[in-house]
Amino acid sequence: MASEKQASDHVEKHDSIEPAGNVLPGFSDQQTTNEAHAAIQKEHNMTAMEALRLYPKAVAWSLLLSCAIIMEGYDVVLIGSFFAFPAFNEKYGGLMSNGKYGLAASWQAALTNSMSCGQIIGLFVNGIVSERYGYRKTLMACLATTVGFIFILFFAPNVQTLVAGELLMGIPLGVYQTLTVTYASEVCPVALRAYLTTYVNLCWVFGQLIASGVLKGLVEHTDQWAYRIPFAIQWVWPVPIFIGVYLAPESPWWLVRKDRREDAIKAVKRLTRADPNFSAEETVSMIVYTNAMEQQTENGASYMDCFKGTDLRRTEIACCVWAVQSLCGSGLMGYSTVFYQRAGLADSQSFTMSLAQYAIGVVGTFSSWLFMTYFGRRTLYVGGLMILAVILFVIGFISIAPATSALSWATGSMLLVYTFIYDSTIGPVCFSLVSEMPSSRLRTKTVVLARNTYNVLNLVTGIIIPYMLNVDAWDWRGKSGFFWGGLCILCLVWSFFRLPEPKGRSYAELDVLFENKVRTREFPNAKTGLVQSELEGEKGSV
C-alpha cells in the first residue's frame, strides 16, 4: 500500500491509509471508492451558500433537534438565579448573617452538582443506547422522561426533594448535550458543519435568556407561584420537539454503521433537495468508505477503544477542549445577579442586567459564525482564551480595593464583557471541535467522554464557586478572578500546543491526518491524498 505524501518533511510516513484512487485492503468495491473520492472533492468545492441551498432540510432538522438543549440552558440558569430569588429563598432557605433569606453554600453546591451527577449518568448511558437503538429513539425516550421529572421539581416540598429532582432531570439533559451536536455534525456537509454544531451553543444561550426573562417577570411575586411557574414552563419544550424527532430522518452515518446502506441513501435524500449535480449514492459511498477506513485502523467501538492508538490523541483533544469551558471561569457568569445585588440594585434591576448578559451571549454566538469563517476554530479558540484571561485578572485587581457599590458595578460589568468574548469564541467553538475531532465510529462515545470531563470539573467548580462568593463562606467576591485567570492561562498553553485546525476538512481527511500523526500546526497545509488539491482559505468555507 502506497504511503501518504505529507505537506512537511517533518511528517512521518505511514502505510495505514492509502492515497486517492486505491482500494482499502479488504474493501474491493472500486465503484464505492471512486464515488467516495468524488463526494469528498465536491464537499471541498462547496461553499456555505451552495451547501445551504442543497441541504435546507438537513439544516431544518438539525435546528429542531438542537432545541432540546434549550432545556439544559434554562435549567442551569434557573437554579443558579434562584439563589438570588427572594420567594425561592424564603421557601427553601433560611436567615443568613446579613438578615436576608438564602440557601447555605452547601445546599447551593448540592443543587448545582446534583444535576451534573445526573448528566454524567445520562451521558454514559447515551454512549451505549444511542449507538444500539439510534439517535431518534434515544432522544424521544429522553424527552418523554423529562416530562415526568419536571413534576418532581414542580411539587418539591423541600430542598432535599429539589436535589433529587435535579439529579433525575440531569439524566436526559446529559443525553441532549451530546446527541444534538453529534446529529448536527453528521447530517450536514463540511461547509455547514461549524454553523450547525455551534448553533447548539446558541440554543443553550436561548435557554439562559428565557430563564432570566421568566425570573425577572416573577421576581416581585411573593407566593409559591413565583418559583413554581418557572419550573412549569419546562413542560413547553418536550412535546413539540418529540413530534419533530419522530418525523426526522435518522443519521446516515449511524445507518451505515448498522449496514443499512439503502436506508442511509433514503435518509440523505430526505436531508437534501433534488439537484442534478448531487448524488445521494455518492455521499453514502463516502460514508461507507470512511467507515471502512476507520475499521482498518481501529480495533472496535467501545469506550476503551477511545484510548487506543491514534484515537487517544483525538480523545485527549476533545476532552480538553470541553474541560477548558469549565476551567476558564465561565461559572462566574451565572453569578452576575449576585454582584449587581451587592452593588445596591433592586432585585428586579439585577435580573434585568442578567437578562442583558444573556442577550449579549446570543449576539456573541452569531458573531462567532462570522469569526470562524475567516479565522477558523483554532485561532478563535486560542485568541478567546487570551482575552478571557486578561478580563479575569482585571476583575481580580478591581476587587483589591475596599468593597464599594462602584466596585460591584465594575465587576458585574466586566462579567458582561466576559460573556460576549466567551460566547463568541470558547463557548460555541467548543461544540464544533468536539464533534470534529473523533472518528465517526467513536464519535458518540468520545463526545460523551469529553462532556463528562466537563461535568466532573463542573462538580468541582459547582462546589467552590458558591463558597468563593457566599457572604458566610470564603467571601472572595471579585478576587476569584485571580484564581480563574491563572487556570485560563494554563488552558491557553495547552490549546496553543495541542489544538489542531479542522476547518474545511472532511471526516475522511481528518482520519488520514490523525493516522499519519500530523503535527498540530501543520494540519491546515498537510495533504491527505483524498482530493485533487487543497482548497486553502476558500471564502465561506468553515
Side-chain angles (χ1 to χ4, degrees):
M1 184 167 55
S3 60
E4 278 305 310
K5 179 182 179 183
Q6 298 295 331
S8 170
D9 293 335
H10 297 291
V11 180
E12 181 182 357
K13 294 182 179 181
H14 293 260
D15 62 357
S16 55
I17 299 291
E18 96 295 347
N22 291 349
V23 180
L24 286 166
F27 187 75
S28 59
D29 192 340
Q30 182 65 58
Q31 180 180 350
T32 297
T33 300
N34 294 336
E35 289 178 349
H37 288 297
I40 293 173
Q41 184 67 53
K42 287 179 180 179
E43 286 213 2
H44 262 283
N45 295 333
M46 190 180 298
T47 65
M49 289 306 300
E50 290 172 344
L52 190 60
R53 286 193 292 268
L54 181 59
Y55 283 84
K57 299 176 185 177
V59 172
W61 290 122
S62 177
L63 296 183
L64 177 62
L65 267 64
S66 295
C67 287
I69 208 70
I70 291 176
M71 288 182 281
E72 190 211 353
Y74 182 94
D75 196 87
V76 168
V77 169
L78 198 65
I79 294 301
S81 297
F82 269 155
F83 299 155
F85 204 65
F88 179 87
N89 286 328
E90 288 184 22
K91 169 65 178 179
Y92 297 107
L95 277 174
M96 306 291 284
S97 61
N98 60 2
K100 295 183 179 180
Y101 281 93
L103 284 176
S106 57
W107 280 115
Q108 289 182 3
L111 274 173
T112 302
N113 290 337
S114 59
M115 185 173 66
S116 295
C117 290
Q119 289 172 348
I120 292 173
I121 297 171
L123 282 162
F124 278 125
V125 170
N126 172 52
I128 299 172
V129 174
S130 65
E131 193 60 30
R132 180 172 182 178
Y133 297 105
Y135 299 170
R136 292 173 58 256
K137 291 181 180 179
T138 303
L139 195 54
M140 286 189 290
C142 289
L143 288 165
T145 57
T146 297
V147 173
F149 293 151
I150 294 172
F151 278 97
I152 300 176
L153 300 174
F154 183 79
F155 291 107
N158 50 50
V159 68
Q160 292 88 343
T161 306
L162 275 181
V163 171
E166 285 297 313
L167 174 66
L168 293 173
M169 189 71 170
I171 296 175
L173 292 183
V175 175
Y176 303 150
Q177 289 175 342
T178 55
L179 209 55
T180 52
V181 69
T182 303
Y183 184 86
S185 69
E186 294 187 355
V187 299
C188 63
V190 173
L192 296 178
R193 195 167 61 202
Y195 298 125
L196 294 183
T197 52
T198 55
Y199 175 77
V200 173
N201 182 77
L202 186 62
C203 288
W204 198 74
V205 177
F206 278 148
Q208 295 176 316
L209 188 62
I210 294 170
S212 295
V214 169
L215 291 174
K216 172 179 165 46
L218 296 169
V219 70
E220 301 294 341
H221 289 244
T222 58
D223 58 11
Q224 61 177 334
W225 297 108
Y227 52 85
R228 283 192 171 179
I229 289 177
F231 283 130
I233 287 176
Q234 293 180 97
W235 276 313
V236 171
W237 290 287
V239 174
I241 296 176
F242 184 96
I243 296 173
V245 175
Y246 177 78
L247 297 174
E250 184 58 85
S251 164
W253 289 82
W254 181 83
L255 292 169
V256 166
R257 290 196 294 272
K258 296 301 178 181
D259 296 323
R260 296 166 56 181
R261 178 167 182 157
E262 292 304 315
D263 289 335
I265 294 174
K266 293 177 183 177
V268 171
K269 289 180 178 179
R270 288 190 62 196
L271 292 167
T272 57
R273 61 185 298 180
D275 189 309
N277 298 317
F278 174 77
S279 170
E281 288 76 9
E282 279 186 356
T283 300
V284 172
S285 291
M286 177 182 66
I287 299 173
V288 171
Y289 185 83
T290 303
N291 185 62
M293 180 188 297
E294 292 176 356
Q295 286 179 321
Q296 296 293 326
T297 59
E298 295 175 4
N299 296 319
S302 67
Y303 278 114
M304 290 303 299
D305 291 305
C306 295
F307 301 97
K308 296 178 180 178
T310 57
D311 286 302
L312 175 60
R313 180 187 178 189
R314 305 174 83 158
T315 301
E316 174 221 332
I317 295 171
C319 289
C320 289
V321 161
W322 226 328
V324 167
Q325 272 201 342
S326 181
L327 296 175
C328 69
S330 61
L332 292 175
M333 291 188 294
Y335 291 86
S336 60
T337 305
V338 176
F339 284 107
Y340 284 119
Q341 285 181 336
R342 291 184 179 179
L345 285 180
D347 293 332
S348 178
Q349 292 174 315
S350 297
F351 280 99
T352 298
M353 294 302 295
S354 294
L355 196 61
Q357 172 181 314
Y358 297 120
I360 289 173
V362 172
V363 175
T365 303
F366 281 123
S367 300
S368 73
W369 293 353
L370 176 64
F371 296 154
M372 276 191 292
T373 301
Y374 293 98
F375 300 113
R377 275 65 125 187
R378 171 185 161 83
T379 301
L380 204 56
Y381 201 86
V382 174
L385 280 172
M386 292 175 64
I387 300 173
L388 293 181
V390 172
I391 294 173
L392 287 167
F393 278 110
V394 169
I395 291 174
F397 282 114
I398 289 174
S399 66
I400 293 177
T404 63
S405 174
L407 289 178
S408 293
W409 263 108
T411 302
S413 299
M414 289 304 299
L415 285 175
L416 294 182
V417 178
Y418 181 100
T419 299
F420 176 77
I421 300 300
Y422 176 87
D423 282 312
S424 59
T425 57
I426 307 302
V429 175
C430 167
F431 288 94
S432 179
L433 288 169
V434 296
S435 66
E436 294 173 310
M437 290 299 111
S439 64
S440 63
R441 292 175 59 79
L442 292 171
R443 181 172 296 118
T444 300
K445 290 182 173 62
T446 304
V447 174
V448 164
L449 291 170
R451 185 65 186 191
N452 266 342
T453 301
Y454 169 85
N455 284 333
V456 169
L457 289 171
N458 264 5
L459 288 175
V460 179
T461 60
I463 292 173
I464 64 176
I465 290 181
Y467 281 90
M468 286 178 175
L469 304 180
N470 195 286
V471 294
D472 289 337
W474 303 344
D475 198 25
W476 284 10
R477 302 188 186 186
K479 294 183 181 67
S480 55
F482 289 123
F483 177 83
W484 297 111
L487 287 179
C488 202
I489 290 177
L490 293 178
C491 295
L492 173 63
V493 172
W494 174 86
S495 300
F496 183 81
F497 289 105
R498 298 293 293 169
L499 181 62
E501 175 58 72
K503 177 183 177 182
R505 298 289 193 178
S506 68
Y507 290 129
E509 291 175 279
L510 290 173
D511 287 341
V512 171
L513 294 176
F514 278 111
E515 186 64 27
N516 287 292
K517 300 180 181 179
V518 175
R519 294 180 180 179
T520 297
R521 279 173 283 181
E522 294 171 345
F523 259 62
N525 300 316
K527 291 181 172 59
T528 63
L530 296 178
V531 291
Q532 296 300 318
S533 61
E534 299 294 323
L535 303 178
E536 298 299 330
E538 183 176 359
K539 189 172 182 180
S541 175
V542 295

